Amino acid sequence: MEPADLPPSYSWISSNSPAPIYSECPSPSERVLQKGPCVCWPSSESASQKFIYKSDSLEVRLHPPRWGSVLPAYGLAGTVEGVLTFRKTCTHVLEVSVSLLGCITTSASQHATIAVPGIDKVQLLKKKTVLFSAKAGSSAAMNGEHPFALQFPHHIDNGTNALPPSYTVYQPGVSTEIAYHVRVDVVRKGLRRHEKLTVPVLYLPKSRPTSPPLEHIPWSARVDGENDERVRCIQLSPTWPGRSESNSPPYLEELPVISLTLPSAQSFASGDTIPLSLKIESPGSPALAKMLSYNVHLSLVKRQKTWISLGHQVSVREHTLSRAGVYLADDTREGLAYLRLELKAGEAGRECSWRVDGAVAIEVSTSDSRTPVREHLKDFPTYRCEVPVALTTDPFGTLQNELFALSGVPFPALGLSDPARHLRALA
């Protein structure tokens, strides 16, 4: 009997070459290449295959680039190209058309204290192209292949809001889904069966900020932000929880003055770091400025809003995307403290702000507050400030390089895709 192979030998690592330190959170200079289960890209053999959908009489082949998604996915203003094939001859045909449809479906239940339970649908998109139309008073027999192409518009029909992405959200008692489909209609003469085939597709448009990002708040802007166009300064207002404005303490002039400085840009790329600074002035109580600097809390909040009860009620679900890191920048001057804050704009490629008036909206805002220094200081106010911002899927200035690399084909924002949606579509 042959002896078993001995296990490999290990040597101690010397102090001159210590093992690297690993952490779950990457540093600002690092990028996450893969998180979660691996999504395998198709082989060359499967990449040449098309998305094929069949009924008894019809077959639709869509041939978008394979991005690794289960359903056909399209980017900003992408074009749905495909071929309609009649699997058998279809007689007495009056019209053959292909439509690109988009709809918001909101479902509300009675147990969620909803005034008007039921299902509400709002049509976002209806674009139709006619492949065949018979002459008046006649019909025809159809067979063979018929190519078609339909392009997603930039905006909602008869509106100025951008066309929202495919989206699903569940709230207590309320569910909302934005779904897009390609539908083939074959209208036949008389009482003959209307042939129809519906194909689900994903619309995942990318978005980008309107201006380049600001890496840090300039020191001169921290002192006087009004003199720098790149930033804006907001003064925080004191509030007394449980008190009315008429019962506010009379010593308002002795309270600290707190102001927040942030980039003047209204939109930021998801995954980027938003720089901010905070100035606390307390000349009457110099020690209070430094004490308050340890009680700063700032977070990025995502709100999912759904209008229900025929638009008379709004269901809101809030989720904290990130919390800011707070660093003491300068407290050398008596009664004055400067703080540097870094707020991460969610996960890269997975956040996007959008709105459909009166139906559904995704909003993001920075929420800033200070808590009392000691619990026994019941008369000390809380300072709060909420600033709405817009998040985009991609960084500024990446559109041209992406279109050049993909020969003009818009890449979909795959980070917006919901895996649960694929399971429902395939069920």
Side-chain angles (χ1 to χ4, degrees):
M1 188 173 180
E2 298 181 359
D5 294 337
L6 296 176
S9 60
Y10 296 89
S11 60
W12 292 100
I13 300 176
S14 65
S15 59
N16 295 329
S17 57
I21 299 176
Y22 295 95
S23 64
E24 296 181 359
C25 299
S27 65
S29 62
E30 296 175 328
R31 294 290 181 182
V32 178
L33 298 180
Q34 179 66 44
K35 184 176 182 180
C38 177
V39 178
C40 298
W41 290 84
S43 62
S44 58
E45 179 180 357
S46 62
S48 62
Q49 298 176 357
K50 314 299 181 185
F51 290 96
I52 301 177
Y53 304 87
K54 298 180 181 180
S55 66
D56 292 340
S57 304
L58 306 174
E59 176 183 293
V60 171
R61 288 177 291 157
L62 300 180
H63 40 82
R66 276 227 179 230
W67 308 110
S69 59
V70 179
L71 297 178
Y74 300 89
L76 180 65
T79 301
V80 181
E81 296 180 349
V83 177
L84 167 64
T85 303
F86 285 87
R87 303 182 66 189
K88 57 184 179 181
T89 302
C90 193
T91 59
H92 303 90
V93 176
L94 297 177
E95 182 183 271
V96 179
S97 64
V98 180
S99 302
L100 183 59
L101 306 173
C103 182
I104 301 178
T105 303
T106 302
S107 176
S109 61
Q110 180 69 44
H111 71 272
T113 65
I114 304 301
V116 185
I119 299 177
D120 185 27
K121 291 189 176 183
V122 177
Q123 186 166 341
L124 292 174
L125 170 64
K126 184 177 182 181
K127 180 175 285 191
K128 177 180 176 180
T129 179
V130 178
L131 303 181
F132 169 79
S133 180
K135 296 181 180 179
S138 64
S139 61
M142 298 296 297
N143 52 31
E145 296 183 348
H146 303 269
F148 62 88
L150 291 165
Q151 186 178 19
F152 281 95
H154 285 269
H155 299 89
I156 302 174
D157 290 346
N158 302 322
T160 58
N161 291 333
L163 192 67
S166 300
Y167 169 81
T168 305
V169 64
Y170 297 101
Q171 297 173 340
V174 180
S175 63
T176 304
E177 182 174 13
I178 299 179
Y180 296 92
H181 299 87
V182 174
R183 192 181 70 191
V184 177
D185 294 280
V186 180
V187 181
R188 303 177 68 189
K189 187 176 181 179
L191 300 177
R192 296 170 180 85
R193 186 178 66 177
H194 181 104
E195 302 289 343
K196 182 186 298 185
L197 179 58
T198 302
V199 177
V201 297
L202 295 178
Y203 181 56
L204 305 173
K206 287 191 173 185
S207 55
R208 293 169 174 84
T210 56
S211 58
L214 186 65
E215 295 184 0
H216 62 276
I217 302 295
W219 177 255
S220 58
R222 297 177 188 176
V223 179
D224 188 4
E226 298 180 356
N227 294 333
D228 197 323
E229 297 180 353
R230 297 173 296 175
V231 299
R232 51 178 171 155
C233 186
I234 301 175
Q235 184 168 328
L236 279 62
S237 301
T239 59
W240 286 264
R243 281 178 181 260
S244 61
E245 294 184 2
S246 58
N247 293 331
S248 299
Y251 50 87
L252 293 178
E253 64 279 357
E254 301 178 3
L255 291 175
V257 177
I258 303 177
S259 56
L260 177 70
T261 303
L262 66 160
S264 56
Q266 299 289 335
S267 58
F268 305 92
S270 59
D272 284 357
T273 299
I274 304 175
L276 307 102
S277 68
L278 197 73
K279 181 171 66 172
I280 304 175
E281 299 178 88
S282 181
S285 302
L288 189 57
K290 188 171 183 179
M291 295 174 64
L292 289 176
S293 64
Y294 295 103
N295 291 267
V296 176
H297 305 276
L298 188 141
S299 57
L300 193 67
V301 179
K302 176 180 178 180
R303 287 193 183 93
Q304 299 171 331
K305 291 185 177 181
T306 302
W307 278 259
I308 52 180
S309 300
L310 303 177
H312 297 293
Q313 291 179 319
V314 181
S315 176
V316 181
R317 179 183 178 184
E318 291 190 353
H319 171 63
T320 301
L321 295 178
S322 62
R323 299 184 184 277
V326 183
Y327 310 94
L328 183 61
D330 183 21
D331 62 345
T332 55
R333 294 177 56 185
E334 191 176 65
L336 190 63
Y338 291 99
L339 302 178
R340 179 173 59 88
L341 298 91
E342 294 181 354
L343 182 63
K344 189 175 181 181
E347 189 175 346
R350 294 190 61 86
E351 302 298 337
C352 180
S353 304
W354 50 268
R355 166 181 288 272
V356 179
D357 291 335
V360 64
I362 297 295
E363 300 175 351
V364 181
S365 63
T366 60
S367 179
D368 183 80
S369 66
R370 247 121 315 246
T371 57
V373 182
R374 294 289 186 269
E375 293 183 359
H376 64 272
L377 296 180
K378 298 180 180 180
D379 291 334
F380 195 84
T382 296
Y383 290 77
R384 293 186 179 275
C385 175
E386 186 170 309
V387 182
V389 297
L391 295 188
T392 64
T393 60
D394 283 65
F396 175 82
T398 59
L399 176 60
Q400 297 301 326
N401 292 337
E402 180 179 295
L403 294 179
F404 178 78
L406 299 173
S407 301
V409 178
F411 197 105
L414 298 178
L416 300 179
S417 180
D418 177 16
R421 183 188 298 111
H422 308 329
L423 300 179
R424 292 191 298 274
L426 297 176

